[in-house]
Amino acid sequence: QVQLVESGGGLVHTGGSLRLSCAASGSIFEINVMGWYRQRPGEEREFVARVTSGGSIAYADSVKGRFTISRDNAKSTIWLQMNNLKPEDTAVYYCNLNQGVSSHDDWGQGTQVTVSS
């Protein structure tokens, strides 16, 4: 069983910054990808950013240039630095860990990010 503990969400004004963290523990064997997704009320969960075990990074177009994902493989931890936040970034942010040949996904409990205009 994998545990993903997220922290760092909160309330900021437009243009502000937040840094999310996600620490993984438990039955971790071979991480393929760790990343962040978000879900706004009434909408589908959407991809935000991800980093592979090899260091390859990808971002959603909506956050490119504003968000930065980083990782510490030794600690199975990732961070998401979010700058120049906009009201449309308001959502619950979920950490994702994908591992093994079966590409099994685990999810964190989510952390709320609210950006006021």
Side-chain angles (χ1 to χ4, degrees):
Q1 194 171 3
V2 173
Q3 294 81 41
L4 297 172
V5 179
E6 300 139 334
S7 61
L11 171 65
V12 295
H13 293 297
T14 297
S17 298
L18 285 172
R19 190 179 193 225
L20 306 182
S21 67
C22 173
S25 62
S27 301
I28 300 170
F29 301 105
E30 183 180 357
I31 297 175
N32 298 321
V33 181
M34 289 187 73
W36 294 94
Y37 289 70
R38 66 187 182 188
Q39 188 167 19
R40 302 183 186 91
E43 297 186 14
E44 299 275 327
R45 191 172 297 187
E46 66 176 11
F47 166 75
V48 176
R50 62 98 169 127
V51 54
T52 70
S53 58
S56 176
I57 289 175
Y59 297 98
D61 287 343
S62 59
V63 306
K64 279 181 182 176
R66 300 188 298 121
F67 291 11
T68 302
I69 190 170
S70 57
R71 65 180 169 92
D72 182 332
N73 279 345
K75 297 181 180 179
S76 299
T77 299
I78 59 171
W79 296 269
L80 186 69
Q81 178 66 43
M82 305 185 294
N83 297 328
N84 190 23
L85 283 160
K86 305 175 181 180
E88 52 264 42
D89 294 318
T90 295
V92 177
Y93 284 70
Y94 294 91
C95 178
N96 169 263
L97 184 153
N98 178 282
Q99 67 171 328
V101 294
S102 64
S103 291
H104 178 76
D105 281 311
D106 285 288
W107 296 90
Q109 79 284 358
T111 185
Q112 177 69 47
V113 171
T114 303
V115 185
S116 63
S117 56

